[in-house]
Amino acid sequence: MNKLFSWALGGESAQGSHSEKRINLALQGGGAHGAFTWGVIDRLLEDGRVDIDGLSGASAGAINAVMLADGLARGGREEARKRLADFWRAASVDGGLSPVQRQVFDRLLTADSFATAPMNSWMQSMGRLMGTDVNPLNINPLKRLIERFVDFDAIRSSGRDLFISTTNAQTGDLRIFTAAELTPEVVMASAALPPLFRAVEIDGEHYWDGGYTSNPPLLPFLQTKDSEDVLLVQIFPVRREETPTSSREIAGRTSEIAFNAPMYAELRALDAVDRIATEQGKGARRLRLHRIVLDEREVATDAASRLNNQFDFFQTLHELGRNAAERFLAEHFDAIGSHGTMDAATEADQEYVRG
């Protein structure tokens, strides 16, 4: 975070001279709930009134961002819609992984102990499930899907800003990879949730899930030259109405808090950038923020559901995402390019009070 904040005030201040409504997407991670984001993107692309400039993502958000960037680079909106749909179908329980890869996926993603056990017995439960190593062969089914669907050369040559967050497994530091640095290993690292998968080695360093340190990246958009509007697609609930009491509920809520914390830290940083720029009288770049949130009242969003890889569940989330995007367009389309519909200072302050 400090590295991001240190250069934030140095960003470009000019808004791109486009007549269309243009926006950046910042996509939060959240396992199977990433299918909600698929639905949001699908509806935005179908609507056709919003052009997507830059993208950022962590974990499942990184996967959606890369699939979207690939489709746009290779065939535009319809190709992007098709590639996202094909990916989520392939990632489902009967989507075409090899028997060995599917066995790993199923044993891990349907293990109730992983999704619900308190942390002090979690590792013991997983050890009993799969022996001394959670994933002893280090099989990552995601690698095959990424290599099958993504043309990294096309993304790198597209000129589109892309920011993928990862967490250094040894130092705990955030590292954000750009489009120019994108490889299958980068996407795998951003989604490498321990202890399901080992840290992914890149340039001699080892990286885990990006959701721990930037979920999703927001500050890098201060350095881009296109749209100043950023639409945050948030998967983890802002708040829960009921206090968790069971071990299942407690484990799930603590996970939600942990993966939302980096986002609120970046919102506080964005507010600080705005205040410093105002105090110093500088015309620094400022972001117009918007948000779409997965509503836990519409579908079960406990920890176990984030590991549900049934295609009908993906379809349910996809439809919820489309509906949420439809509401956003109806209520806030006119604000894009004019003013934000989400205030960084208010959100950060509320979370500070809540948390």
Side-chain angles (χ1 to χ4, degrees), residues 203-223:
D203 298 331
E205 298 286 344
H206 293 81
Y207 298 95
W208 269 331
D209 195 301
Y212 290 112
T213 48
S214 184
N215 192 25
L218 297 170
L219 288 171
F221 291 115
L222 288 169
Q223 289 286 73

Side-chain angles (χ1 to χ4, degrees), residues 10 22 28 47-48 135 145 178 227 242 257 269 273 279 289 300 305 355:
R22 308 186 70 87
Q28 196 175 52
D47 181 84
N135 186 359
L145 292 180
T178 65
S227 174
E242 302 293 333
I257 292 170
V273 169
E279 292 168 1
L289 298 177
S305 71

